[in-house]
């Protein structure tokens, strides 16, 4: 193993088959064979390592997990069929009826639905804390609070939560700290270093990086992952070998892609800051970002997402989107192609206007996932659409 992220991401690979292939094969098999009844018994009993059934583990998912664990600095992990399977699994496996979750208010839309509509059905409740009010989070901890669940930077508000603070807070209150690290990726930020017990990902976004497959990850300490693994093995959110193979291959290029996403995003953010049609440009590494000092403390670069709050609300945002010539209008992010989303009318339309405002989703807010095109072409497309949508 190397000291360097890039080398590990490229060089960690499954052991070669007897074909001596250079690129890892895809193990499209549901189950694995045993040479004897005794080997089958011992493998099932966990006395010897070995594959059993692809709902449990598969060489492609194991390869992906090994790579990501090195990148995140975590001991073990599980790969799932989607990011939401990872979010759900990380909570459902460790909590039970009567338990309570303290969470940061700015969460991915479906995670918000999990906490407010799904888990309450099984007696697991949650409370949101606001980042403007960290001093008072102590008061939100109940005797039955078991977990602190946060997302940083948040989607789409780009709020930053102090991971050092979160690690200490979780320790002081004996909480399991879960961090959704989707926006930063392990290349920019490693929550485990600050005390996160579990790190979750939607691998669909930057880890895939080319808008092809869904995938999710739950990473953490051996002890906790063992418990989560019991849950995922028996409830079945396993990733397909093909998707795991794609995501492992994508890890090889994560560093170079993120370098470009980040440098272009900063350039776009700086360019539009001060534009008269834009009320606010938000990007973690802009000096004007309210938590700029935290972003630079815990992230090595600012990520690939920029938000623009357009003057003129929903109508202006929609006119602007209709004038784009190159940038895609779709709900994904972290793709090689730049993507624009209008959260208030799409991903976060189920929230009330008041709920949206609380997490910084203004009517005119545009989320721009800065892709790998030349940054001047991205700037030109946005600038022209701003001009034409006046
Ligand atoms: C997309 C996303 C998810 C959900 O992941 P899927 O792969 O779409 O299921 C969770 N958290 C964040 C921050 C996301 O952006």
């Amino acid at each position: 193993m190397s000291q360097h992220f890039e080398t590990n991401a490229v060089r960690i690979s499954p052991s070669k088959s007897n074909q001596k292939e250079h690129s890892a094969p895809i193990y499209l098999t549901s189950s694995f064979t045993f040479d004897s009844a005794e080997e089958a018994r011992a493998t099932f009993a966990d006395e010897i390592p070995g594959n059993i059934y692809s709902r449990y583990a598969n060489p492609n998912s194991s390869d992906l997990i090994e790579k990501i664990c090195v990148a995140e600095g975590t001991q073990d992990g599980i790969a799932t069929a989607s990011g939401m399977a990872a979010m759900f699994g990380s909570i459902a496996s460790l909590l039970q009826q009567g338990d309570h979750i303290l969470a940061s208010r700015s969460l991915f839309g479906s995670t918000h639905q999990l906490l407010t509509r799904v888990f309450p059905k099984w007696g697991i409740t949650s409370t949101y804390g606001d980042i403007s009010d960290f001093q008072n989070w102590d008061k939100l901890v109940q005797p039955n609070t078991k977990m602190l669940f946060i997302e940083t930077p948040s989607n789409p508000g780009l709020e930053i939560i102090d991971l050092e603070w979160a690690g200490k807070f979780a320790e002081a209150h004996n909480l399991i700290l879960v961090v959704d690290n989707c926006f930063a990726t392990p290349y920019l930020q490693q929550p485990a270093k600050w005390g996160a017990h579990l790190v979750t990902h939607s691998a669909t976004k930057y880890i895939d990086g080319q808008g092809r497959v869904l995938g999710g990850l739950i990473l953490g300490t051996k002890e906790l992952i063992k418990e989560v693994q019991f849950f995922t093995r028996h409830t079945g959110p396993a990733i397909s070998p093909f998707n795991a193979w794609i995501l492992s291959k994508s890890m090889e290029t994560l560093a170079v892609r993120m370098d470009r996403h980040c440098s272009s995003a900063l350039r776009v953010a700086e360019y539009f800051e001060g534009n008269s049609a834009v009320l606010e440009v938000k990007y973690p590494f802009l000096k004007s970002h309210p938590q700029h000092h935290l972003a630079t403390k815990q992230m090595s670069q600012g990520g690939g997402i920029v938000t623009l709050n357009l003057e003129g609300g929903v109508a202006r945002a929609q006119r602007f989107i209709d004038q784009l010539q190159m940038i895609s209008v779709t709900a994904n992010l972290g793709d090689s192609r730049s993507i624009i989303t209008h959260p208030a009318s799409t991903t976060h339309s189920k929230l009330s206007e008041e709920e949206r405002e609380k997490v910084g989703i203004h009517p005119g807010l545009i989320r721009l996932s800065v892709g790998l095109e030349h940054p001047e072409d991205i700037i030109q497309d946005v600038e022209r659409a701003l001009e034409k949508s006046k």
Side-chain angles (χ1 to χ4, degrees), residues 56 107 154 200 273 361:
Y56 282 33
L107 292 177
S154 68
T200 57
E273 194 164 47
I361 303 173

Side-chain angles (χ1 to χ4, degrees), residues 197-218:
H197 303 102
L198 289 182
V199 177
T200 57
H201 279 284
S202 166
T204 315
K205 313 292 170 52
Y206 288 104
I207 293 177
D208 173 71
Q210 290 151 82
R212 299 163 299 185
V213 301
L214 297 179
L217 291 150
I218 309 170

Side-chain angles (χ1 to χ4, degrees), residues 47-58:
E47 289 169 17
I48 55 171
N51 290 308
I52 297 174
Y53 190 60
S54 286
R55 169 153 49 76
Y56 282 33
N58 169 286

Side-chain angles (χ1 to χ4, degrees), residues 82-85 87 108 110-111 151 153 155 180 182-183 201-205 214-216 333 367:
S82 71
M84 285 321 298
M87 307 305 147
F108 180 66
S110 293
T111 311
E151 187 180 306
N155 178 4
D180 182 342
C182 171
F183 265 37
H201 279 284
S202 166
T204 315
K205 313 292 170 52
L214 297 179
L333 62 91
R367 183 185 75 192

